[in-house]
Amino acid sequence: MSTNEAEKRVEDDEEEKKKGGELLFCGSTGWDIVGRRKGTVEGNLISPTSLRPLIGVDVRFCHVIALHWMSRGGATRGVKGQLGHGDRIQRDRPTVVFELLKYKIIKAGGGRSHTVVVTDDGNSLAFGWNKHGQLGSGSTKNEVESSPVRCLVSQVTNVACGAEFTVWLSSAEGASILTAGLPQYGQLGHGTDNEYNAKDSSVRLVYEAQPRPRAIATLSGVTIVKVACGTDHTVTVDTNGYVYMWGFGGYGRLGHREQKDEWVPRLVEVFQRHNVLPPNAIVSAGSVNSACTAGGGQLYMWGKIKNTGDDWMYPKPLMDLIGWNLRCMDSGNMHHFVGADLSCISWGHAQYGELGYGPAGQKSSAVPEKVDILEGMHVVSVACGMGHSMVVVDKTNVGDRLDQLDIHDVKASGEENNVLDNETSAPKQNKKGYSKTQPSSKKRKFANDVSDTEEEENSDDESDSSEDHINGEASGKGRGKGTKKSASGGKGKGCGKGHLAANKSSQSSQRKKGTRGWSRKA
């Protein structure tokens, strides 16, 4: 594909996202217990399902990380103000963030307990947990910001969130990428993890927060145009198609053939010379893995791809998807979703139906499989979180296909009973006290590897000066170590064999019991 063709495809994809589409959801709706309890959880939606509050709403994009999701509202454990409603009430249905109605939101990102949005005038707003300065407001005085606050960045074009840090892309000269938040594994890219002892006589280590967005000095002469964040690592692409990665290196998720943490951006060797990324490349970061598309649309993945087998210590092509025109991709903890041509494809380890295979399909799949119920639909955007997935499909040229999908009647009951205590009152709610969301699906025709960990205990109040520096260069106290540490976990060298699909497209789309074949595009 020529550069002009790639650029034209980028423009077409952007136009599609501006039009939006219908959001479909699959996986668990048991927000209180997903990831904390093994076995069947009530409220699983095992096929892509419409959410009644969003029917008729044109959703432009969706983004998920951990247990957090947002699409002009959201549904998550609203315990840290990450829903932006000015309170700490759990909401089990998509709800409009009224304070954002006066803005036109063009981008959004969600972390473990915080949300950041970008407006069409280049400003950025954030809300949620701010203990490590991940909101970029310049201060950690308020540990929780339940209403949108201004981020100290300007001319913002995109945003991505890790678990407890945030990355902004800016068109400002000399500051194309800025970061703020927790520097524990070097994921901020400033050459340090800001680690120090809590007290002179203590062995407990703490990490000095970076509450003011700071430009990454080593990328000052580089223009970054794409970014994605995993839990504690970052992947970026510059205008020349070079890939830079840094942060936590466990399982080889940085693609550098080793597992040590990287505190400054480092070029990924595989994507240089004749294998740079084209303008329409897809970049994705899961919890413990990374992915991108290179020349010819070939999908590369690396890190911990599945629960069993070797880790991929450097980018390797996924042979299963050769020949497909990949449009979008996202990874959760151990499952992956791809929108390609007029198909939606998913694979990985699943427990709650997040792969969307339906009642006749398998729960998990080691190789990519089509989501049959979405076959023939044009997928605009995909997002994967813990125990659930979301897909935005174009509503044009689908006839009454969307009318055949189930509808989930998201209940609002229990919201008033889920107000968390103020920070001054310590007792936590008993898990048994949480209300369960009961599924109430009707036909429209007629109508982890990681568990959700408890947040860190409160430490000494951290505060910063209220000085408003935009795209600031001001750094924190450099008390970090100068040498890199080796990341624990992960295996040595990895190897990943692709599984070639063999069935012809003319065969029945219904799977036979015991088979995993799917139609591959010639």
Side-chain angles (χ1 to χ4, degrees):
M1 181 186 300
S2 67
T3 303
N4 291 337
E5 290 175 338
E7 291 176 348
K8 186 177 185 304
R9 182 169 291 177
V10 171
E11 294 174 359
D12 292 342
D13 290 344
E14 288 299 322
E15 287 300 319
E16 290 172 359
K17 291 178 181 178
K18 287 180 181 179
K19 292 188 299 183
E22 177 141 348
L23 185 139
L24 306 176
F25 183 99
C26 57
S28 176
T29 59
W31 316 115
D32 302 324
I33 54 180
V34 63
R36 292 180 175 177
R37 186 178 302 176
K38 295 182 179 179
T40 304
V41 177
E42 294 184 42
N44 291 349
L45 303 176
I46 58 178
S47 296
T49 303
S50 295
L51 303 179
R52 189 174 293 281
L54 291 179
I55 292 177
V57 176
D58 288 329
V59 179
R60 292 175 54 190
F61 53 86
C62 49
H63 185 87
V64 193
I65 188 170
L67 284 165
H68 180 92
W69 74 272
M70 176 182 176
S71 176
R72 293 204 66 148
T76 182
R77 295 177 194 153
V79 297
K80 296 291 184 181
Q82 62 264 51
L83 300 184
H85 298 302
D87 54 41
R88 297 176 66 178
I89 299 175
Q90 175 175 311
R91 287 170 170 80
D92 292 328
R93 63 164 59 195
T95 309
V96 172
V97 182
F98 287 104
E99 287 199 36
L100 295 181
L101 286 178
K102 56 187 175 183
Y103 303 101
K104 182 178 180 181
I105 305 301
I106 60 171
K107 298 288 183 181
R112 178 172 288 152
S113 298
H114 74 289
T115 303
V116 185
V117 300
V118 178
T119 63
D120 63 342
D121 58 359
N123 290 318
S124 182
L125 303 167
F127 39 93
W129 200 33
N130 191 42
K131 181 176 182 178
H132 305 290
Q134 54 264 54
L135 300 189
S137 61
S139 172
T140 57
K141 185 176 181 180
N142 293 332
E143 191 168 294
V144 172
E145 297 283 2
S146 57
S147 297
V149 295
R150 173 77 184 277
C151 306
L152 300 184
V153 290
S154 64
Q155 303 179 45
V156 182
T157 57
N158 202 354
V159 67
C161 297
E164 286 143 358
F165 71 102
T166 305
V167 179
W168 292 267
L169 297 187
S170 171
S171 58
E173 185 176 353
S176 68
I177 180 168
L178 304 97
T179 60
L182 180 68
Q184 182 174 359
Y185 302 102
Q187 61 265 47
L188 301 187
H190 300 308
T192 178
D193 61 356
N194 276 356
E195 178 186 280
Y196 64 96
N197 295 97
K199 297 179 181 178
D200 293 339
S201 60
S202 172
V203 295
R204 186 170 72 92
L205 297 176
V206 292
Y207 301 87
E208 186 176 18
Q210 173 65 51
R212 179 175 288 108
R214 177 184 171 193
I216 298 178
T218 56
L219 294 177
S220 60
V222 177
T223 301
I224 301 297
V225 293
K226 296 179 185 292
V227 61
C229 294
T231 305
D232 295 303
H233 74 287
T234 304
V235 51
T236 59
V237 183
D238 69 7
T239 50
N240 296 318
Y242 294 132
V243 179
Y244 300 82
M245 296 196 68
W246 64 93
F248 184 53
Y251 305 115
R253 74 193 74 183
L254 300 184
H256 300 314
R257 301 177 186 267
E258 54 188 345
Q259 298 190 69
K260 72 175 183 178
D261 297 350
E262 297 290 344
W263 294 353
V264 293
R266 178 179 171 184
L267 273 170
V268 180
E269 293 180 1
V270 173
F271 303 113
Q272 296 186 58
R273 301 179 183 88
H274 302 294
N275 196 32
V276 296
L277 271 58
N280 65 330
I282 299 168
V283 177
S284 172
S287 175
V288 290
N289 49 59
S290 308
C292 71
T293 54
Q298 174 63 59
L299 177 65
Y300 286 77
M301 298 190 72
W302 58 100
K304 190 173 182 62
I305 308 301
K306 51 187 177 181
N307 286 335
T308 59
D310 295 328
D311 307 321
W312 294 10
M313 303 298 295
Y314 60 92
K316 297 180 182 180
L318 192 69
M319 307 306 294
D320 307 74
L321 297 177
I322 288 179
W324 288 87
N325 171 29
L326 274 60
R327 186 178 302 103
C328 52
M329 178 185 178
D330 197 25
S331 298
N333 181 31
M334 277 297 141
H335 77 287
H336 319 278
F337 250 82
V338 168
D341 295 312
L342 291 178
S343 297
C344 190
I345 301 165
S346 64
W347 71 98
H349 175 75
Q351 185 177 351
Y352 308 102
E354 54 263 45
L355 296 183
Y357 292 150
Q362 59 220 44
K363 182 182 291 186
S364 299
S365 175
V367 295
E369 299 274 359
K370 285 182 180 179
V371 181
D372 288 338
I373 198 170
L374 299 180
E375 185 63 15
M377 294 189 185
H378 184 90
V379 175
V380 177
S381 179
V382 294
C384 299
M386 180 174 282
H388 64 281
S389 307
M390 293 188 292
V391 180
V392 178
V393 296
D394 191 346
K395 292 185 285 190
T396 59
N397 303 320
V398 294
D400 61 351
R401 295 280 305 282
L402 288 175
D403 295 336
Q404 310 304 316
L405 301 180
D406 289 343
I407 297 177
H408 182 56
D409 291 314
V410 190
K411 300 299 181 183
S413 60
E415 288 184 5
E416 64 278 1
N417 298 325
N418 281 303
V419 184
L420 294 187
D421 296 332
N422 292 333
E423 295 175 63
T424 54
S425 56
K428 298 180 181 179
Q429 270 190 327
N430 191 319
K431 290 181 183 178
K432 294 181 180 179
Y434 287 125
S435 60
K436 296 181 180 179
T437 303
Q438 297 290 342
S440 178
S441 298
K442 301 175 184 176
K443 287 290 182 184
R444 194 189 220 156
K445 56 171 142 179
F446 178 143
N448 311 331
D449 157 272
V450 204
S451 62
D452 184 46
T453 58
E454 294 296 324
E455 309 295 355
E456 298 177 9
E457 66 273 13
N458 291 336
S459 60
D460 297 335
D461 288 337
E462 299 170 345
S463 62
D464 207 340
S465 64
S466 58
E467 207 176 352
D468 291 350
H469 287 231
I470 302 298
N471 290 2
E473 299 295 332
S475 62
K477 300 175 184 177
R479 288 181 278 188
K481 298 179 180 178
T483 57
K484 298 177 183 177
K485 301 181 293 183
S486 295
S488 60
K491 303 177 183 178
K493 296 180 179 179
C495 59
K497 270 192 176 179
H499 172 80
L500 298 178
N503 288 354
K504 297 181 180 179
S505 59
S506 59
Q507 291 178 335
S508 170
S509 62
Q510 293 191 354
R511 296 185 181 86
K512 294 182 180 179
K513 200 169 186 179
T515 62
R516 296 188 299 183
W518 56 290
S519 302
R520 180 172 70 85
K521 183 175 176 67

